Amino acid sequence: MNDIAVFHKKIGNYLLYLKEIGIEELPFQRKVINARLQGSSYQTQVADNASLETCNLNLESIRVELGDCRRCKLHKTRTNIVFGVGHPHASLVFVGEGPGEDEDLQGEPFVGRAGQLLTRIINAMGLKREDVYICNVVKCRPPGNRNPEPDEIAACRPFLEKQIDAIRPKIIVALGTHSTQTLLNTTEKITALRGRFYWYRNNIQLMPTFHPSYLLRNESKKKEVWEDMKIVLKALGLKISEEKK
Ligand code: URA
């Protein structure tokens, strides 16, 4: 028998052994897809279709694992789980706090007034919603749009982390205090943190900025958010159009 045949036989025996002890399925390793930016254009679609499907499958499998989630009390009052939307391998991910009323009804993040403002910010960056990925720290609406509570954040956190692992973005924009504090494991305020990059798990740059809902109440802060987005665009290697400088 040659080396390869010996190797196959060994694997075969090992699989039979696993079957005997009751293991019928094995996880497969996800392909690492390099969908990073190329040159100065936002190339989200460099993965071939097969790898993109693998990536979709990965997000889908996370959604399947989430299931009809009852891991925290938010399930009692939600209409829909709001998982996330956008490019499955976006270079840029926006993470909000939790769904509001419109999002709860439609099952899609950032579709209400704050969402429309976020869409305008994304468009002003020269991007479309489909180019980026948008999700929240908690996937179910906190009643009356209250802040998500620590036990709710803790229950949802593994799913957010898995989404980020599946997408492998270059940059995360954390929208508001709860998103920033959750992702950076800090209790610092957004006002102290925004405007500079931090590392999320040592390999993804994270920019904290004000939440669009806050901007709706504090128009003057839009300037600061735009400054933050310009830093993000530069890090992505994207041009800022003259009139938007
Ligand atoms: N605010 C959020 O934090 N997320 C949404 O999806 C909508 C509003």
Side-chain angles (χ1 to χ4, degrees):
M1 243 195 276
N2 66 24
D3 285 353
I4 292 178
V6 171
F7 181 61
H8 282 168
K9 193 160 172 31
K10 278 192 180 159
I11 290 184
N13 287 341
Y14 182 58
L15 291 174
L16 282 173
Y17 161 74
L18 291 177
K19 200 166 178 208
E20 265 167 32
I21 61 169
I23 297 171
E24 301 272 349
E25 282 177 49
L26 292 174
F28 65 90
Q29 174 133 31
R30 172 169 62 86
K31 270 198 223 168
V32 176
I33 305 157
N34 182 9
R36 295 275 186 253
L37 295 169
Q38 295 202 326
S40 62
S41 65
Y42 188 88
Q43 286 270 2
T44 53
Q45 189 74 43
V46 297
D48 60 41
N49 284 344
S51 5
L52 206 59
E53 270 164 28
T54 319
C55 207
N56 259 325
L57 193 65
N58 211 350
L59 279 174
E60 273 164 27
S61 64
I62 299 164
R63 179 64 191 88
V64 168
E65 186 188 342
L66 184 63
D68 182 29
C69 186
R70 282 145 203 260
R71 292 170 182 82
C72 83
K73 56 189 177 300
L74 292 181
H75 81 271
K76 294 185 198 154
T77 46
R78 73 163 180 241
T79 313
N80 286 299
I81 292 178
V82 181
F83 183 67
V85 284
H87 198 288
H89 210 71
S91 293
L92 182 58
V93 169
F94 289 86
V95 181
E97 185 176 303
E101 187 180 13
D102 296 303
E103 292 77 18
D104 175 63
L105 292 174
Q106 295 181 45
E108 185 170 333
F110 284 99
V111 288
R113 273 188 71 222
Q116 285 156 21
L117 177 53
L118 177 62
T119 305
R120 287 202 295 279
I121 294 169
I122 293 168
N123 294 158
M125 295 171 83
L127 301 169
K128 299 194 285 288
R129 269 174 81 100
E130 310 84 84
D131 296 326
V132 302
Y133 192 84
I134 307 172
C135 60
N136 282 304
V137 168
V138 293
K139 314 282 184 237
C140 298
R141 182 191 181 200
N145 296 348
R146 65 158 169 75
N147 292 335
E149 291 174 358
D151 60 314
E152 297 157 358
I153 293 177
C156 236
R157 178 196 279 273
F159 293 94
L160 174 61
E161 289 176 352
K162 284 181 195 190
Q163 281 173 298
I164 295 169
D165 284 348
I167 298 163
R168 303 174 68 85
K170 187 169 187 225
I171 293 178
I172 297 171
V173 172
L175 299 166
T177 300
H178 292 283
S179 169
T180 304
Q181 291 185 343
T182 302
L183 291 164
L184 293 182
N185 274 314
T186 178
T187 51
E188 286 271 351
K189 293 269 163 52
I190 184 76
T191 36
L193 295 169
R194 63 148 285 276
R196 203 123 62 106
F197 279 124
Y198 301 82
W199 286 109
Y200 168 77
R201 290 183 165 183
N202 299 321
N203 58 358
I204 300 173
Q205 296 190 93
L206 184 145
M207 171 64 74
T209 197
F210 292 126
H211 192 286
S213 302
Y214 176 76
L215 295 184
L216 290 173
R217 301 188 301 271
N218 299 275
E219 285 257 332
S220 64
K221 299 287 176 190
K222 283 184 181 169
K223 259 196 313 293
E224 271 116 305
V225 171
W226 186 238
E227 290 307 312
D228 300 344
M229 293 310 102
K230 283 200 283 191
I231 299 171
V232 167
L233 284 171
K234 194 163 176 218
L236 287 170
L238 295 177
K239 289 225 170 71
I240 305 151
S241 68
E242 278 308 317
E243 87 265 19
K244 292 196 171 125
K245 278 184 180 157

